[in-house]
Coordinates of all heavy atoms in Angstrom, one line a residue:
E1 N 56.8 -60.4 -12.8 CA 55.6 -60.4 -13.5 C 55.3 -61.9 -14.0 O 54.2 -62.3 -14.1 CB 55.5 -59.5 -14.6 CG 55.4 -58.0 -14.2 CD 55.4 -57.0 -15.4 OE1 55.8 -57.5 -16.5 OE2 55.0 -55.8 -15.2
E2 N 56.4 -62.5 -14.4 CA 56.2 -63.9 -15.0 C 56.2 -64.9 -13.9 O 55.5 -66.0 -14.1 CB 57.4 -64.1 -16.0 CG 57.3 -63.1 -17.2 CD 58.5 -63.4 -18.0 OE1 59.6 -64.2 -17.8 OE2 58.6 -62.9 -19.2
R3 N 57.0 -64.8 -12.8 CA 57.1 -65.8 -11.7 C 56.9 -65.0 -10.4 O 58.1 -64.5 -10.0 CB 58.2 -66.6 -11.9 CG 58.2 -67.6 -13.1 CD 59.4 -68.4 -13.2 NE 59.6 -69.3 -11.9 CZ 60.7 -70.0 -11.6 NH1 61.6 -70.0 -12.4 NH2 60.6 -70.7 -10.6
R4 N 56.0 -64.9 -9.7 CA 55.9 -64.2 -8.5 C 56.8 -64.8 -7.4 O 57.4 -64.1 -6.6 CB 54.4 -64.0 -8.0 CG 54.2 -63.2 -6.7 CD 52.8 -63.0 -6.4 NE 52.5 -62.2 -5.3 CZ 52.4 -62.8 -4.0 NH1 52.5 -64.0 -3.8 NH2 52.3 -61.9 -3.0
N5 N 56.9 -66.1 -7.3 CA 57.7 -66.8 -6.4 C 59.2 -67.0 -6.9 O 59.9 -67.9 -6.3 CB 57.1 -68.2 -6.1 CG 55.8 -68.0 -5.3 OD1 55.6 -67.2 -4.5 ND2 54.8 -68.9 -5.7
F6 N 59.5 -66.2 -7.9 CA 61.0 -66.5 -8.3 C 62.1 -66.1 -7.1 O 61.8 -65.2 -6.3 CB 61.2 -65.4 -9.4 CG 62.8 -65.7 -10.1 CD1 62.9 -66.6 -11.0 CD2 63.6 -64.8 -9.7 CE1 64.2 -66.7 -11.6 CE2 64.9 -65.0 -10.4 CZ 65.2 -66.0 -11.2
D7 N 63.1 -67.1 -7.2 CA 64.2 -66.9 -6.2 C 65.2 -65.9 -6.8 O 66.0 -66.4 -7.6 CB 64.8 -68.2 -5.8 CG 65.8 -68.2 -4.7 OD1 66.1 -67.0 -4.1 OD2 66.1 -69.1 -4.1
L8 N 65.2 -64.6 -6.4 CA 66.1 -63.8 -6.9 C 67.6 -63.9 -6.6 O 68.4 -63.5 -7.3 CB 65.7 -62.3 -6.3 CG 66.3 -61.1 -7.2 CD1 65.9 -61.0 -8.6 CD2 65.9 -59.8 -6.5
R9 N 67.9 -64.6 -5.6 CA 69.2 -65.0 -5.3 C 70.0 -65.7 -6.4 O 71.3 -65.5 -6.4 CB 69.2 -65.8 -3.9 CG 68.9 -65.3 -2.7 CD 68.8 -66.1 -1.6 NE 67.9 -67.1 -1.7 CZ 67.7 -68.2 -0.7 NH1 68.5 -68.1 0.3 NH2 66.7 -69.0 -1.0
R10 N 69.3 -66.3 -7.2 CA 69.9 -67.0 -8.3 C 70.6 -66.0 -9.3 O 71.6 -66.3 -9.9 CB 69.0 -67.8 -9.2 CG 68.5 -69.2 -8.3 CD 67.8 -70.1 -9.4 NE 66.4 -69.7 -9.4 CZ 65.4 -70.2 -10.3 NH1 65.9 -71.1 -11.2 NH2 64.3 -69.8 -10.3
L11 N 69.9 -64.8 -9.4 CA 70.4 -63.8 -10.4 C 71.6 -63.0 -9.6 O 72.3 -62.3 -10.3 CB 69.4 -63.1 -10.9 CG 68.5 -63.7 -11.9 CD1 67.5 -62.6 -12.4 CD2 69.2 -64.3 -13.2
L12 N 71.5 -62.9 -8.3 CA 72.3 -62.1 -7.6 C 73.6 -62.8 -7.0 O 74.5 -62.1 -6.3 CB 71.7 -61.4 -6.5 CG 70.6 -60.4 -6.7 CD1 69.9 -59.9 -5.6 CD2 70.9 -59.3 -7.6
T13 N 73.8 -64.1 -7.3 CA 74.9 -64.9 -6.9 C 76.2 -64.3 -7.3 O 76.5 -63.9 -8.5 CB 74.8 -66.4 -7.4 OG1 73.6 -66.9 -6.9 CG2 76.0 -67.2 -6.9
G14 N 77.1 -64.0 -6.4 CA 78.3 -63.3 -6.6 C 78.3 -61.9 -6.6 O 79.3 -61.2 -6.6
S15 N 77.1 -61.2 -6.4 CA 76.9 -59.9 -6.4 C 76.7 -59.4 -4.9 O 76.6 -58.2 -4.7 CB 75.8 -59.3 -7.3 OG 76.0 -59.7 -8.6
E16 N 76.7 -60.4 -3.9 CA 76.4 -59.9 -2.5 C 77.4 -59.0 -2.1 O 77.2 -58.2 -1.2 CB 76.2 -61.3 -1.8 CG 75.1 -62.1 -2.0 CD 75.6 -63.2 -3.1 OE1 76.6 -63.0 -3.7 OE2 74.8 -64.2 -3.2
R17 N 78.7 -59.2 -2.6 CA 79.8 -58.3 -2.0 C 79.6 -57.1 -2.5 O 79.9 -56.0 -1.7 CB 81.2 -58.9 -2.8 CG 81.1 -58.8 -4.3 CD 82.4 -59.3 -4.9 NE 82.3 -59.4 -6.3 CZ 82.4 -58.3 -7.2 NH1 82.6 -57.0 -6.6 NH2 82.2 -58.4 -8.4
L18 N 78.9 -56.7 -3.6 CA 78.5 -55.3 -3.9 C 77.5 -54.7 -2.9 O 77.6 -53.5 -2.5 CB 78.0 -55.2 -5.5 CG 78.9 -55.5 -6.4 CD1 78.2 -55.6 -7.8 CD2 80.0 -54.5 -6.4
I19 N 76.5 -55.5 -2.6 CA 75.5 -55.0 -1.5 C 76.2 -54.8 -0.2 O 76.0 -53.7 0.5 CB 74.4 -56.0 -1.5 CG1 73.7 -56.1 -2.8 CG2 73.4 -55.5 -0.3 CD1 72.6 -57.1 -2.7
D20 N 77.1 -55.8 0.3 CA 77.8 -55.7 1.5 C 78.6 -54.4 1.3 O 78.7 -53.6 2.5 CB 78.8 -56.9 1.8 CG 77.9 -58.3 1.9 OD1 76.7 -58.1 2.3 OD2 78.5 -59.3 1.8
H21 N 79.3 -54.2 0.3 CA 80.3 -53.1 0.3 C 79.5 -51.8 0.4 O 80.1 -50.8 0.9 CB 81.0 -53.3 -1.0 CG 82.5 -52.6 -1.0 ND1 82.8 -51.3 -1.3 CD2 83.6 -53.1 -0.6 CE1 83.9 -51.1 -1.3 NE2 84.5 -52.1 -0.8
I22 N 78.5 -51.5 -0.3 CA 77.7 -50.3 -0.4 C 77.3 -50.0 0.9 O 77.1 -48.9 1.4 CB 76.8 -50.3 -1.4 CG1 76.5 -48.8 -1.9 CG2 75.4 -50.9 -1.2 CD1 75.9 -48.5 -3.2
L23 N 76.7 -51.1 1.6 CA 76.2 -50.8 3.0 C 77.4 -50.4 4.0 O 77.1 -49.5 4.8 CB 75.7 -52.1 3.7 CG 74.2 -52.5 3.1 CD1 73.8 -53.9 3.6 CD2 73.3 -51.5 3.8
N24 N 78.6 -50.9 3.7 CA 79.7 -50.4 4.6 C 80.1 -49.0 4.2 O 80.3 -48.2 5.0 CB 81.0 -51.3 4.3 CG 80.7 -52.6 4.9 OD1 80.1 -52.8 5.9 ND2 81.5 -53.6 4.3
F25 N 80.0 -48.7 2.9 CA 80.1 -47.3 2.5 C 79.2 -46.4 3.1 O 79.5 -45.1 3.5 CB 80.1 -47.2 1.0 CG 81.4 -47.3 0.2 CD1 81.4 -47.5 -1.1 CD2 82.5 -47.1 0.9 CE1 82.6 -47.6 -1.9 CE2 83.8 -47.0 0.2 CZ 83.9 -47.4 -1.3
T26 N 78.0 -46.7 3.1 CA 76.9 -45.8 3.6 C 77.0 -45.5 5.0 O 76.6 -44.5 5.5 CB 75.4 -46.3 3.3 OG1 75.3 -47.5 3.8 CG2 75.2 -46.4 1.8
E27 N 77.8 -46.4 5.8 CA 77.8 -46.2 7.1 C 79.3 -45.5 7.6 O 79.3 -45.0 8.7 CB 77.9 -47.6 7.9 CG 76.4 -48.3 7.9 CD 76.4 -49.6 8.5 OE1 77.6 -50.2 8.5 OE2 75.3 -50.1 8.7
T28 N 80.1 -45.5 6.6 CA 81.4 -45.0 7.0 C 81.9 -43.8 6.2 O 82.8 -42.9 6.6 CB 82.7 -46.1 6.8 OG1 82.5 -46.5 5.4 CG2 82.3 -47.2 7.7
E29 N 81.2 -43.5 5.0 CA 81.6 -42.5 4.3 C 80.6 -41.4 4.2 O 79.4 -41.6 3.8 CB 81.8 -42.9 2.7 CG 82.9 -43.7 2.5 CD 84.3 -42.9 2.4 OE1 84.2 -41.6 2.3 OE2 85.3 -43.5 2.4
P30 N 80.9 -40.1 4.7 CA 79.9 -39.0 4.8 C 79.3 -38.7 3.4 O 78.3 -38.1 3.4 CB 80.7 -38.0 5.4 CG 82.2 -38.1 5.3 CD 82.3 -39.7 5.1
M31 N 80.0 -39.0 2.3 CA 79.4 -38.5 1.0 C 78.1 -39.1 0.7 O 77.3 -38.6 -0.1 CB 80.5 -38.8 -0.1 CG 80.9 -40.2 -0.3 SD 82.1 -40.2 -1.7 CE 82.5 -42.1 -1.9
Y32 N 78.0 -40.4 1.3 CA 76.5 -41.0 1.1 C 75.5 -40.3 1.9 O 74.4 -40.1 1.4 CB 76.7 -42.5 1.4 CG 77.5 -43.2 0.5 CD1 78.9 -43.4 0.6 CD2 76.8 -44.0 -0.5 CE1 79.6 -43.8 -0.5 CE2 77.5 -44.7 -1.5 CZ 78.9 -44.8 -1.4 OH 79.6 -45.5 -2.4
L33 N 75.9 -40.0 3.1 CA 74.9 -39.2 4.0 C 74.6 -37.9 3.5 O 73.3 -37.6 3.4 CB 75.5 -39.0 5.4 CG 74.7 -38.1 6.3 CD1 73.4 -38.8 6.6 CD2 75.6 -37.8 7.6
L34 N 75.5 -37.3 2.8 CA 75.3 -35.9 2.2 C 74.9 -35.9 0.8 O 74.8 -34.9 0.1 CB 76.5 -35.0 2.4 CG 77.0 -34.8 3.8 CD1 78.1 -33.9 4.1 CD2 75.9 -34.3 4.8
S35 N 75.0 -37.1 0.1 CA 74.6 -37.2 -1.4 C 75.4 -36.3 -2.2 O 75.1 -35.6 -3.0 CB 73.1 -36.8 -1.6 OG 72.2 -37.7 -1.0
A36 N 76.8 -36.6 -2.0 CA 77.8 -35.8 -2.5 C 79.0 -36.6 -3.0 O 79.2 -37.8 -2.6 CB 78.4 -34.6 -1.6

């Protein structure tokens, strides 16, 4: 709202591993597919 062109990567630096990891989980762990 304050800065439409804000580069969000600055706030997520170091957290990419969490995104990578949850993507791996959603592809390999059936509990994500079944929401369980």
